[in-house]
Amino acid sequence: MSFHEIRFPTGISRGAQGGPERRTDVVVLGSGFEERNSRWLASRRSYDAGYGVRSLDALHEVIAFFEERRGRFHGFRWRDHTDWKSGAPGAATTAFDQAIGVGDGSTTAFQVRKTYGALHAPFVRDIRKPIAGSVKIAVNGAVQAEGTHFSVDVTTGVVLFVEDEVPAADAIVTAGFEFDVPVRFDTDKLEINLSGFQSGTIPRIPVVEIRL
């Protein structure tokens, strides 16, 4: 699907409202017990950018961005200010933040990923849109150098080791990184009431995560 490698204005997305969503079916039996089924393997994030629009200039910037994306047609990058690093938002990234794979002596490509939780049912999320220059890699605790030991495709989130630096069998590959969420507008129409906006009404600008 068409995707533009450009980020939605971060000054506006910082004020947005939204987060991850899951789809769970819950059936309550006659006995009062429940049967639950998770319909989605992974969560899907959605946001309302309208909460971040604080001025007419910001609104103009959103309209220009919306028009260039042709509404819902082209995807783009989005900064989720609550979850955009391999660790906590306020912590510095390190090459040891997340385990992304185990070497076997021949595999050269590893998907950047982030794990949520640890004890009960950890969820592993593939990171498809890492930020250029932010990816740090270590193999068995030894920090690797980008350009010398590995390269990163920031459009897919795949780390590729050079031929002479392939992780050995049972070597733990870890990573630290910053990333964006691939999204699209969830509407082909922006309804803006200028008089309402000036009196404090927030325009609705829905954005939804896309699978890549």
Side-chain angles (χ1 to χ4, degrees):
M1 301 299 292
S2 179
F3 191 91
H4 290 172
E5 293 291 339
I6 184 172
R7 184 188 295 152
F8 186 87
T10 55
I12 299 174
S13 64
R14 184 175 289 108
Q17 177 177 300
E21 175 188 1
R22 287 193 172 268
R23 190 65 57 85
T24 306
D25 292 329
V26 180
V27 178
V28 180
L29 305 178
S31 61
F33 288 93
E34 293 181 349
E35 293 287 347
R36 295 187 295 273
N37 179 58
S38 180
R39 294 171 58 187
W40 290 353
L41 179 63
S43 57
R44 190 182 192 190
R45 285 152 176 79
S46 60
Y47 310 91
D48 189 341
Y51 287 89
V53 177
R54 295 289 183 264
S55 68
L56 288 179
D57 286 349
L59 186 57
H60 179 269
E61 190 175 6
V62 170
I63 292 172
F65 195 91
F66 177 86
E67 291 284 24
E68 191 173 10
R69 305 288 86 74
R70 307 298 193 270
R72 294 186 296 176
F73 189 69
H74 297 291
F76 54 92
R77 288 173 173 258
W78 173 274
R79 166 65 58 85
D80 183 337
H81 294 271
T82 64
D83 187 8
W84 58 282
K85 289 183 175 180
S86 48
T93 60
T94 75
F96 317 108
D97 288 346
Q98 299 287 331
I100 65 170
V102 178
D104 59 10
S106 60
T107 299
T108 59
F110 293 82
Q111 178 68 51
V112 175
R113 55 188 47 165
K114 181 175 180 178
T115 301
Y116 297 79
L119 296 179
H120 301 288
F123 167 60
V124 179
R125 175 187 180 189
D126 287 346
I127 302 301
R128 303 293 185 182
K129 298 295 177 182
I131 296 172
S134 74
V135 179
K136 304 170 184 177
I137 297 293
V139 178
N140 269 356
V143 176
Q144 309 293 292
E146 184 174 2
T148 301
H149 302 103
F150 70 93
S151 61
V152 182
D153 186 340
V154 296
T155 67
T156 63
V158 173
V159 173
L160 187 65
F161 285 89
V162 300
E163 186 175 352
D164 295 334
E165 301 293 342
V166 177
D170 299 324
I172 306 299
V173 182
T174 57
F177 46 85
E178 298 174 3
F179 64 95
D180 292 321
V181 182
V183 301
R184 61 167 172 79
F185 287 107
D186 199 22
T187 182
D188 279 323
K189 179 182 181 181
L190 293 183
E191 294 194 60
I192 299 166
N193 184 324
L194 190 57
S195 60
F197 177 76
Q198 291 173 330
S199 63
T201 301
I202 298 172
R204 184 172 180 273
I205 309 172
V207 174
V208 65
E209 184 178 6
I210 54 179
R211 309 282 193 210
L212 297 174

Coordinates of all heavy atoms in Angstrom, one line a residue, residues 3 29 42 58 81 132 191 201:
F3 N 2.7 4.5 0.9 CA 3.2 5.0 2.2 C 4.2 6.1 1.9 O 5.1 6.0 1.1 CB 3.8 3.9 3.0 CG 4.0 4.3 4.4 CD1 3.0 4.1 5.4 CD2 5.2 4.9 4.8 CE1 3.3 4.5 6.7 CE2 5.4 5.3 6.1 CZ 4.4 5.1 7.1
L29 N -22.2 -16.9 29.6 CA -23.1 -18.1 29.6 C -24.2 -18.0 30.6 O -24.2 -17.1 31.5 CB -22.2 -19.3 29.9 CG -21.0 -19.4 29.0 CD1 -20.2 -20.7 29.4 CD2 -21.4 -19.6 27.5
A42 N -2.6 -8.8 17.3 CA -1.9 -7.6 17.8 C -2.8 -6.5 18.0 O -3.9 -6.4 17.4 CB -0.8 -7.2 16.8
A58 N -1.8 26.0 13.0 CA -1.7 24.5 13.2 C -2.7 23.8 12.4 O -2.5 22.8 11.7 CB -1.8 24.2 14.6
H81 N 3.7 9.9 21.5 CA 4.6 10.5 22.5 C 4.6 9.7 23.8 O 5.4 10.0 24.7 CB 4.2 11.9 22.8 CG 4.4 12.8 21.6 ND1 5.6 13.5 21.3 CD2 3.6 13.1 20.5 CE1 5.5 14.1 20.2 NE2 4.4 13.9 19.7
A132 N 15.8 6.8 11.5 CA 17.1 6.7 11.0 C 18.1 7.3 12.0 O 18.0 8.3 12.6 CB 17.2 7.5 9.7
E191 N -14.1 18.1 8.6 CA -15.2 19.1 8.9 C -14.7 20.1 9.9 O -14.5 19.7 11.1 CB -16.5 18.3 9.3 CG -17.1 17.4 8.3 CD -18.5 17.0 8.7 OE1 -19.4 17.9 8.8 OE2 -18.7 15.8 8.8
T201 N -14.1 24.9 20.2 CA -14.5 23.6 19.7 C -13.3 22.9 19.0 O -12.6 23.5 18.2 CB -15.7 23.7 18.6 OG1 -16.8 24.3 19.3 CG2 -16.1 22.3 18.1

